Amino acid sequence: MNRLYVFCEGPDDIRFFEGVLREHLQEGYDDIRMIGYAGMKHIRVDGFIRGIGAMGDDYLMVADIDQKRSVKAKKRMLMDWYRELDEQKIIIVIKEIEGWYLAGLDKKASSLLGIRYSPSTDRITKERFNQMIPEKYHSRIDLMIEIIRLYTIAVAVRKNRSFRFFHTHFLE
């Protein structure tokens, strides 16, 4: 059995990968497992990575760029924290996963959800996303679930550079 483990920072990332990308990542794998790593000790994540390699399975690590100045700087930081991490398996989300959520909405979907359409989501942060949540949603999770329901990968590829990079290197 060939597995893919996707290390996600937190529940919003897991929800996105489960809802939008799981079936696209499925090709070539018998099973996909999501692991929320943000609260784990670095040594535990390294242990996971080492074990995954020993079993002959594969992994990806997803991380927001946050305040780092470049993808290279963020990757370097992650590789300092996680000694077993392979640079080729790191996916950096710019700016934060909320930008990837909004990237998949075309004008019609944005209108249906009551969100102002944005032609580029490269600069979306959690804070900006939260400001955009229409009052009709009881929580940001409710909105995220509705976004996933209306998501179009082809639109996301056009609207977000880091999503486009991910799509080109890991989905095509």
Side-chain angles (χ1 to χ4, degrees), residues 7 37-52 61 78-85:
F7 289 89
Y37 71 90
M40 288 185 192
K41 293 192 181 304
H42 297 178
I43 194 164
R44 184 162 183 228
V45 174
D46 267 342
F48 264 124
I49 293 170
R50 196 171 23 263
I52 290 166
M61 178 169 279
L78 290 168
M79 291 167 55
D80 286 345
W81 284 355
Y82 309 115
R83 301 287 184 196
E84 301 290 328
L85 188 57

Side-chain angles (χ1 to χ4, degrees), residues 15-138:
R15 187 177 305 106
F16 182 83
F17 273 80
E18 286 283 359
V20 174
L21 298 174
R22 174 184 272 287
E23 73 179 65
H24 301 282
L25 289 168
Q26 195 74 44
E27 196 169 312
Y29 297 102
D30 300 310
D31 188 28
I32 296 179
R33 305 262 172 106
M34 307 295 167
I35 300 172
Y37 71 90
M40 288 185 192
K41 293 192 181 304
H42 297 178
I43 194 164
R44 184 162 183 228
V45 174
D46 267 342
F48 264 124
I49 293 170
R50 196 171 23 263
I52 290 166
M55 292 186 303
D57 291 330
D58 203 3
Y59 71 91
L60 296 172
M61 178 169 279
V62 182
D64 294 339
I65 197 166
D66 294 324
Q67 302 307 316
K68 290 294 178 194
R69 291 167 32 109
S70 68
V71 168
K72 190 176 219 169
K74 181 67 177 204
K75 284 185 175 186
R76 196 170 23 254
M77 183 194 85
L78 290 168
M79 291 167 55
D80 286 345
W81 284 355
Y82 309 115
R83 301 287 184 196
E84 301 290 328
L85 188 57
D86 178 348
E87 182 176 6
Q88 300 303 311
K89 297 179 186 283
I90 302 172
I91 300 161
I92 303 299
V93 177
I94 300 172
K95 198 118 175 105
E96 298 180 37
I97 196 68
E98 288 78 2
W100 280 24
Y101 272 90
L102 294 176
L105 298 178
D106 59 17
K107 288 180 182 178
K108 182 180 178 185
S110 294
S111 177
L112 280 169
L113 296 173
I115 298 173
R116 193 177 89 240
Y117 176 78
S118 179
S120 172
T121 63
D122 291 335
R123 292 193 169 121
I124 297 292
T125 62
K126 280 177 189 24
E127 295 75 21
R128 178 72 187 113
F129 180 88
N130 290 343
Q131 292 169 354
M132 297 171 75
I133 300 172
E135 288 183 20
K136 66 180 178 178
Y137 295 100
H138 299 336

Side-chain angles (χ1 to χ4, degrees), residues 103-107 117-122 151-165 167:
L105 298 178
D106 59 17
K107 288 180 182 178
Y117 176 78
S118 179
S120 172
T121 63
D122 291 335
Y151 206 86
T152 305
I153 288 178
V155 172
V157 167
R158 289 193 310 268
K159 290 175 55 178
N160 188 286
R161 287 182 306 129
S162 64
F163 187 86
R164 182 170 40 255
F165 180 88
H167 183 268

